[in-house]
Amino acid sequence: MDAASIGWLALPLAILGGAIRVSTPFIFVSIGELITEKSGRINLGLEGTLMLGAMAGYGISYLSGSPWLGVLSAGLAGMAFGLLHGLLCSVKRVNDTAIGISLIVLGTGLAFFLGKPLIEPKAPPLPSIALGFWSSVPQVRAALDVNALFFVGIALAFAVYVFLNRTGWGLMLRTVGDSEEAARALGFPVLRVRIIATMAGGFLAGVGGSFLSLSYPGSWSEGLSSGQGIMAVALVIFARWRSINALGASLLFGGAGALGPALQGIGVTGYYYLFNAAPYVLTLAIMVASTSRAAPFADAPGELKLHR
Amino acid sequence: MSVPQVELKNMTKRFGANLALNNVSLPIRSGTVHALLGENGAGKSTLVKCLVGFYHPDEGHIQVDGREHRLNSPKDADALGIGMVYQHFTLVPSMTVAQNLVVSSATLPAYINWQSELKRLARVTRKLPFHVPLDVRVSQLSAGEKQKAEIVKQLYLGRKLLILDEPTSVLTPAEADEVLGHVRSLTRTGALSAILISHKFREVRRFADDVTVLRRGASVRTGAVADLTDDALAEAMIGEPVSKMVQHAPKLPPKPNVVLSIRDLCANGDNGLPAVKDLSLEVRAGEIVGIAGVSGNGQLELVEAMMGQRDRNGTIAVSGSSFNGTRKEIARLGVYGLPQEPLKNACIDRMSLAENLALRNFDRVPLCRGIAMNYRALAEQAERLVAQFRVKAPGLNASMSALSGGNVQRAVLARELTQDVRLLVASNPTFGLDFVACEETYRRILEARNGGAAVLLISEDLDELLGLVDRLLVMSGGRIVHEVSAEGADKRVIGKYMAGMKAA
């Protein structure tokens, strides 16, 4: 069987492959954001964390020769940023939205500055698992060449589900995010829980960032992220603060993001930029739909104060 | 299992220059209900918050079974078996009752097997006098059920001293009797002691053994309830002999003309679900129509929809013309209001007293000239109103938030009732006010009625309503379910309708 004979099937295959690839950072960032929001805070700074993670992951992988060490240090860099956000927001009358936006600027700025020497060298990339080994069709093999982090992400979504619903700590996190008054009455350390939740969210966003630079084609550049960190916030709302939903939503966003390149791949080059805008249009549509005045909004953690 | 003897000794607590507690002692005999009476701001909450470890007293200490204890956090109170049911519930709304119980236990379980956990919880709670469904989200429970769930939680945690902060303010009379009756009988068996914070004499008399009255942070009276008369308690509370409740002005027959007419009104709550359902009512000139109901049955949404603050369907007419709450209509039709928490809902707290007094007419002559304000006229008006309504304030230019609750209310009364009022909408107008300010509010509302205005009074306090209204409607689940004239009103029947036990 040769490549030409699969005809129009190339399109869904390209979208599938693209969806898996593009969705991976979304999975990590959105689940990280979900954990943070469940504690009653919004961290808008994950876009900055993402870039910092991409840079740190690439740099450490290059210096140490181990991409997994790169992933870990990307997570730690993100965690440090989460700690910064968590601490700053614990000061009275500091607004988490404003801190988040300043962290976007700080994170991307820091990543660009420290990443200058990383543009040239080649760091070892993350391994991928060739699930398409059974097929001789190159498009199938390309689509099913799945990065290992994708599977970590899927496992993560289920682990977070169990954590939030079946562990005492998970219930404590939800209590803190839903009603600060209740949490205080129960004697929970509200600030500590929020800081730890923001750090966990930062760690995952950092890991998501390392995927950007360490997966195929594997390079560091300043244009790596195209707003995934910001879109993750919309994604969490769309997922109604449920981790399994967040996984599905990430795949949907990934598919939308892969639409443009996939169409280009089969030769449809018209409207390339229009199709590339699909994830942004989706974000906008979701924000409009989920802030409707009439729709019930019972799933949002109470302390986010999203009502009104 | 013995119930400890808890005693608070010589407690003093300052917030800045403000002396919130002044050398207060409170002995709670084991196996009794001790009532804590006092007006808002008398120090009741501060005192019990010291007892649950929220505040740390500057002086004084807490003794449990004769031994002194320092309570640094709610965890310490927990360890001593002291628990509090807050007025604003502290159950997590998005979690089920079972999840709330699990998360409240002293040690958080690492992994929860819900199947066996639910069986265990059902076994434990079956022995308690209250029944609440375990697998229902708290946000779907009624106020009465939430209250019961709070108490179940405390008993499940093995609390020996239960503090109830105004527990019946969200309950129907029948629910209140049931809840307090159970607490009372538990104390009788020696399983529990309780502190009951209240301002209702009836509850204190019926369910408490001892009573302590606080006024301005000091304990002014303490003793067995049986030894004290209601008059003595009231006098201790307000610090002066009680003047009799406002006499009902001789009732005039209502005029035939309908002022407010609401037809098939529907409105949604903040959560997007219907809160007011096909509601119709009429209020005539010269009558006070009351709306009774347990908090959260659509009263708030009704008022907001009526005043144009909330999207709605249906028709609202004032004196025959349609009313949407625009500034023009308010002035032309004479619609004014007394909302609850006036500082928040009727004032702009950072503006001055004089400016707040002008909110209704700053855009009319003589307060404005073209687009410019006439500050002299504004000051004159403020001076006149402050004198007429005896508003006590540091000055006309003091910011509104510097005034006490009673004086904010007087300022709002002055602003609203000196207009040409043809329809007055008052919603919980005395919530959180002291005795004197309440009396004054009642008097002004009756005056407005006697002056020919139509008054719609929404209140969660049934006694307040029965003392003022000419006609009473009961609201439950977003509908009017009962109507009765003031003469024919029977509290027990009304309570049943409030609880939604009878369908319309």
Side-chain angles (χ1 to χ4, degrees):
Chain A
M1 216 195 307
D2 71 17
S5 71
I6 66 165
W8 62 271
L9 265 177
L11 180 64
L13 264 177
I15 291 180
L16 175 70
I20 290 173
R21 199 167 54 246
V22 181
S23 68
T24 307
F26 274 129
I27 296 174
F28 282 92
V29 183
S30 63
I31 288 183
E33 180 67 17
L34 184 141
I35 293 173
T36 306
E37 289 194 14
K38 276 283 186 192
S39 82
R41 274 199 190 141
I42 293 184
N43 183 0
L44 280 184
L46 292 187
E47 176 73 15
T49 312
L50 194 77
M51 284 308 282
L52 193 72
M55 185 279 300
Y58 196 76
I60 298 297
S61 170
Y62 169 65
L63 291 176
S64 71
S66 158
W68 291 107
L69 204 59
V71 172
L72 181 68
S73 35
L76 292 177
M79 201 153 105
F81 249 52
L83 176 66
L84 183 65
H85 184 280
L87 287 178
L88 286 175
C89 292
S90 302
V91 180
K92 273 203 177 99
R93 285 191 291 275
V94 169
N95 177 284
D96 51 357
T97 307
I99 293 292
I101 290 172
S102 58
L103 285 187
I104 295 179
V105 179
L106 179 65
T108 40
L110 213 56
F112 290 178
F113 175 70
L114 297 173
K116 275 276 178 264
L118 297 174
I119 294 177
E120 280 298 303
K122 186 87 187 103
L126 282 167
S128 56
I129 299 162
L131 289 182
F133 60 88
W134 46 269
S135 170
S136 60
V137 183
Q139 284 94 332
V140 173
R141 295 185 76 114
L144 293 182
D145 197 30
V146 181
N147 194 289
L149 266 187
F150 178 71
F151 297 104
V152 178
I154 290 177
L156 182 73
F158 287 94
V160 167
Y161 173 81
V162 170
F163 172 76
L164 287 176
N165 291 290
R166 297 194 160 228
T167 68
W169 283 8
L171 291 185
M172 173 164 78
L173 177 72
R174 285 169 59 190
T175 305
V176 168
D178 234 345
S179 164
E180 184 165 342
E181 229 169 74
R184 290 207 186 281
L186 291 170
F188 290 152
V190 173
L191 288 183
R192 207 186 318 157
V193 169
R194 287 189 176 153
I195 291 171
I196 291 172
T198 315
M199 285 169 73
F203 183 91
L204 293 179
V207 170
S210 73
F211 175 88
L212 290 178
S213 60
L214 288 176
S215 74
Y216 174 85
S219 68
W220 159 254
S221 80
E222 296 180 355
L224 268 184
S225 165
S226 41
Q228 282 101 323
I230 302 276
M231 279 189 275
V233 177
L235 210 147
V236 172
I237 297 174
F238 178 50
R240 298 274 142 191
W241 293 268
R242 291 187 193 124
S243 61
I244 309 291
N245 289 0
L247 178 64
S250 297
L251 287 169
L252 183 68
F253 268 62
L259 193 60
L263 281 172
Q264 195 188 31
I266 62 163
V268 181
T269 49
Y271 308 112
Y272 176 64
Y273 290 101
L274 190 66
F275 285 118
N276 268 353
Y280 310 103
V281 173
L282 194 63
T283 308
L284 203 59
I286 283 167
M287 291 313 269
V288 170
S290 57
T291 49
S292 145
R293 270 181 95 171
F297 215 27
D299 303 311
E303 286 294 318
L304 292 181
K305 307 211 161 57
L306 292 180
H307 302 275
R308 285 179 175 257
Chain B
M1 280 202 296
S2 75
V3 177
Q5 187 94 19
V6 177
E7 198 164 350
L8 290 91
K9 286 203 157 165
N10 311 104
M11 308 283 279
T12 296
K13 174 80 186 165
R14 286 182 196 85
F15 294 107
N18 183 9
L19 189 64
L21 285 179
N22 185 3
N23 199 24
V24 176
S25 296
L26 185 72
I28 298 129
R29 293 187 291 137
S30 140
T32 62
V33 178
H34 194 122
L36 207 50
L37 266 173
E39 297 207 73
N40 284 55
K44 294 170 296 184
S45 299
T46 312
L47 185 66
V48 294
K49 279 186 174 167
C50 287
L51 185 53
V52 290
F54 253 121
Y55 293 154
H56 311 301
D58 298 324
E59 284 158 43
H61 60 266
I62 294 158
Q63 275 190 357
V64 180
D65 280 338
R67 281 187 37 212
E68 202 174 306
H69 285 270
R70 248 191 90 74
L71 303 180
N72 289 318
S73 80
K75 292 250 182 219
D76 295 339
D78 208 77
L80 290 170
I82 300 171
M84 177 149 169
V85 175
Y86 296 85
Q87 201 176 353
H88 304 286
F89 302 122
T90 55
L91 295 166
V92 184
S94 72
M95 302 204 305
T96 63
V97 176
Q99 287 174 331
N100 269 287
L101 289 179
V102 169
V103 82
S104 64
S105 50
T107 50
L108 287 173
Y111 180 80
I112 306 158
N113 179 345
W114 279 112
Q115 236 169 3
S116 60
E117 191 65 27
L118 278 173
K119 270 189 208 139
R120 192 182 67 83
L121 291 174
R123 222 172 26 245
V124 176
T125 52
R126 204 176 302 136
K127 295 183 206 130
L128 300 175
F130 304 98
H131 287 283
V132 280
L134 285 172
D135 50 358
V136 173
R137 273 192 184 200
V138 169
S139 54
Q140 286 163 351
L141 296 179
S142 72
E145 285 175 310
K146 279 183 200 162
Q147 181 89 59
K148 285 183 209 164
E150 285 277 2
I151 295 177
V152 164
K153 183 173 99 180
Q154 299 296 331
L155 297 175
Y156 163 78
L157 294 172
R159 297 289 158 74
K160 298 286 170 243
L161 175 62
L162 205 57
I163 304 164
L164 303 165
D165 187 2
E166 307 237 353
T168 59
S169 56
V170 293
L171 304 182
T172 65
E175 281 178 323
D177 286 354
E178 190 201 343
V179 168
L180 289 180
H182 280 312
V183 170
R184 168 79 157 179
S185 55
L186 280 170
T187 62
R188 281 289 155 80
T189 63
L192 196 71
S193 307
I195 297 178
L196 171 66
I197 301 180
S198 180
H199 61 254
K200 294 181 185 160
F201 290 166
R202 190 188 70 89
E203 276 170 25
V204 171
R205 196 149 290 289
R206 193 149 164 214
F207 298 106
D209 302 288
D210 301 325
V211 59
T212 294
V213 182
L214 293 183
R215 189 174 76 241
R216 291 195 198 128
S219 163
V220 289
R221 202 75 195 253
T222 184
V225 174
D227 298 341
L228 293 162
T229 63
D230 279 0
D231 278 348
L233 291 174
E235 201 178 317
M237 248 169 88
I238 63 170
E240 54 191 71
V242 218
S243 58
K244 269 282 153 241
M245 165 91 183
V246 184
Q247 291 301 312
H248 245 164
K251 204 177 159 250
L252 312 163
K255 299 180 179 128
N257 48 323
V258 173
V259 176
L260 172 67
S261 157
I262 298 178
R263 285 270 156 272
D264 305 321
L265 181 74
C266 294
N268 290 346
D270 284 342
N271 56 6
L273 303 171
V276 179
K277 300 163 192 160
D278 296 321
L279 183 144
S280 301
L281 62 85
E282 280 183 352
V283 186
R284 291 163 196 282
E287 78 168 341
I288 301 180
V289 172
I291 295 187
V294 178
S295 163
N297 274 281
Q299 299 98 316
L300 178 76
E301 288 83 358
L302 165 64
V303 172
E304 288 185 354
M306 195 159 62
M307 301 305 255
Q309 296 167 312
R310 185 175 283 275
D311 292 346
R312 68 185 194 208
N313 283 310
T315 54
I316 293 173
V318 177
S319 309
S321 37
S322 145
F323 180 77
N324 296 297
T326 64
R327 216 171 151 76
K328 215 184 245 174
E329 287 170 343
I330 288 171
R332 186 168 59 85
L333 300 171
V335 180
Y336 294 94
L338 301 172
Q340 68 180 358
E341 295 180 74
L343 182 62
K344 198 170 120 199
N345 297 318
C347 297
I348 299 163
D349 55 1
R350 287 187 199 183
M351 282 193 181
S352 72
L353 170 60
E355 286 166 332
N356 270 289
L357 285 170
L359 286 179
R360 284 292 184 198
N361 59 354
F362 69 90
D363 52 353
R364 274 179 259 156
V365 182
L367 290 195
C368 72
R369 282 179 302 220
I371 58 163
M373 295 287 301
N374 179 352
Y375 278 96
R376 185 185 297 181
L378 187 132
E380 275 167 13
Q381 163 175 289
E383 219 164 292
R384 197 177 66 242
L385 292 178
V386 163
Q388 194 184 337
F389 281 75
R390 294 190 307 280
V391 184
K392 285 189 212 107
L396 294 180
N397 290 317
S399 104
M400 205 62 190
S401 50
L403 272 64
S404 73
N407 283 307
V408 169
Q409 176 77 339
R410 282 186 199 102
V412 172
L413 286 168
R415 184 183 75 204
E416 302 291 308
L417 297 182
T418 49
Q419 311 290 328
D420 172 23
V421 183
R422 268 162 284 165
L423 171 64
L424 179 67
V425 180
S427 102
N428 289 311
T430 60
F431 179 83
L433 293 185
D434 64 41
F435 207 80
V436 182
C438 286
E439 293 290 300
E440 175 149 8
T441 307
Y442 296 150
R443 192 162 58 77
R444 299 280 182 186
I445 290 176
L446 287 170
E447 276 174 18
R449 194 254 335 245
N450 295 344
V455 181
L456 185 64
L457 173 65
I458 294 105
S459 175
E460 283 151 29
D461 185 339
L462 197 50
D463 295 322
E464 170 177 297
L465 284 168
L466 292 175
L468 289 171
V469 301
D470 303 307
R471 193 149 62 85
L472 186 71
L473 309 175
V474 180
M475 195 164 173
S476 170
R479 297 174 206 277
I480 301 290
V481 293
H482 185 54
E483 173 171 351
V484 64
S485 72
E487 295 82 37
D490 177 342
K491 260 176 113 166
R492 274 174 314 166
V493 177
I494 295 169
K496 279 190 182 162
Y497 280 106
M498 280 166 71
M501 278 146 78
K502 290 189 177 178

